[in-house]
Amino acid sequence: MTAVSRSEAFLRWGLLSTARINRLVIPSIHAAERAELVGVASRSQERAEACAAEWDIPRAYGSYQSLLDDPGVDVIYISLPNSLHAEWAVRAAAAGKHVLCEKPLAVNAAACDEIIAAGEAAGVVVIEAVMYLYHPLLDRVRKLVQDGAVGRVNLVRGSLSFFLDRPDDVRWKPELGGGALWDVGSYPVSFIRWIAGEPDEAFGWQTLSKSGVDETFGGLLRYRSGVLGVFDCGFRTQWRSEAQVFGLS
């Protein structure tokens, strides 16, 4: 048996920001056998130190760049507002760090291309944190569909919405990449693409909030094969999380 060193067996993680969503990620990193959470960064040293103390994280950084400059960090988890994902994913890759970036990876295709190029140039892995696609249940669903469990697929539907009642939430701010499509709409869109592949045409309609971001969004993905993908999302209805695949035998 070949011996495996600690550096080969472990990934040392750093959190880029102290966002609320970190609370869902930190326990998993702590529990993983081959991972270690070693640092957290904020724009404020005090905020970083408070987060580090709360979650038993050894190091706190008063700037994002100082985390990237630490050679003792292998992977960066980016939970910044959407508008900052691309900039810091590129910076992290350039610093030789692997990247797990919250969805959406970026807010336009050009920025996604920059991230991909940066990751390839540095030889690091960059992954968008669309977590449910990595669940064994989804693999099973797709295999069932591919094996003909519903017949020939002709319609895929997806919905995700909740009532957002925090007026200062970053999701309401257009300058930070807010809006329902970027936040919750990415899930049903990714599900449709997971099942049916890349569409040939895409259409969408939105209802805008007072701040100018989409508070409700509905869309249609059309395939030359005849498959239709229908989705909706929003911040102004009750909690809904649904996905369906229909077919003809």
Side-chain angles (χ1 to χ4, degrees), residues 1-156:
M1 179 179 293
T2 302
V4 178
S5 71
R6 179 178 175 84
S7 62
E8 292 171 328
F10 279 73
L11 288 174
R12 298 165 297 180
W13 288 75
L15 307 177
L16 198 72
S17 98
T18 57
R20 184 184 295 108
I21 197 171
N22 289 3
R23 297 174 178 271
L24 301 178
V25 176
I26 291 172
S28 296
I29 300 176
H30 278 321
E33 294 182 358
R34 296 181 60 186
E36 181 182 6
L37 182 53
V38 298
V40 58
S42 174
R43 292 172 296 175
S44 157
Q45 183 68 38
E46 293 77 13
R47 191 178 298 116
E49 290 176 355
C51 180
E54 178 182 1
W55 292 100
D56 192 26
I57 302 172
R59 299 196 289 276
Y61 309 82
S63 73
Y64 301 146
Q65 188 61 48
S66 60
L67 172 60
L68 302 187
D69 291 338
D70 187 343
V73 176
D74 304 309
V75 189
I76 301 296
Y77 171 61
I78 298 176
S79 53
L80 295 166
N82 297 341
S83 60
L84 298 175
H85 287 179
E87 174 188 353
W88 287 99
V90 168
R91 288 194 183 194
K97 313 298 185 186
H98 301 294
V99 176
L100 177 63
C101 182
E102 265 306 323
K103 52 79 196 165
L105 185 61
V107 294
N108 59 63
C112 285
D113 289 341
E114 291 179 13
I115 295 169
I116 293 169
E120 291 176 346
V124 298
V125 175
V126 180
I127 297 178
E128 184 181 38
V130 186
M131 76 295 185
Y132 79 103
L133 291 181
Y134 300 93
H135 195 289
L137 176 64
L138 264 292
D139 283 327
R140 179 62 175 155
V141 167
R142 187 162 66 166
K143 189 173 190 308
L144 284 170
V145 172
Q146 291 172 340
D147 289 346
V150 299
R152 180 176 60 83
V153 175
N154 60 4
L155 176 66
V156 186

Side-chain angles (χ1 to χ4, degrees), residues 91-233:
R91 288 194 183 194
K97 313 298 185 186
H98 301 294
V99 176
L100 177 63
C101 182
E102 265 306 323
K103 52 79 196 165
L105 185 61
V107 294
N108 59 63
C112 285
D113 289 341
E114 291 179 13
I115 295 169
I116 293 169
E120 291 176 346
V124 298
V125 175
V126 180
I127 297 178
E128 184 181 38
V130 186
M131 76 295 185
Y132 79 103
L133 291 181
Y134 300 93
H135 195 289
L137 176 64
L138 264 292
D139 283 327
R140 179 62 175 155
V141 167
R142 187 162 66 166
K143 189 173 190 308
L144 284 170
V145 172
Q146 291 172 340
D147 289 346
V150 299
R152 180 176 60 83
V153 175
N154 60 4
L155 176 66
V156 186
R157 293 184 62 252
S159 300
L160 186 57
S161 63
F162 70 102
F163 194 84
L164 180 58
D165 58 359
R166 296 188 297 272
D168 296 327
D169 195 285
V170 296
R171 296 174 179 88
W172 292 123
K173 299 180 179 181
E175 69 276 12
L176 296 180
L181 180 61
W182 288 126
D183 187 62
V184 286
S186 60
Y187 289 106
V189 170
S190 66
F191 177 77
I192 294 169
R193 293 169 56 228
W194 177 258
I195 295 295
E198 296 304 318
D200 297 294
E201 294 181 284
F203 308 87
W205 300 266
Q206 63 184 351
T207 299
L208 297 179
S209 68
K210 292 180 179 179
S211 68
V213 304
D214 53 304
E215 63 180 22
T216 306
F217 196 100
L220 176 66
L221 307 179
R222 193 173 76 86
Y223 296 78
R224 292 193 183 97
S225 64
V227 176
L228 291 179
V230 181
F231 70 92
D232 68 89
C233 60

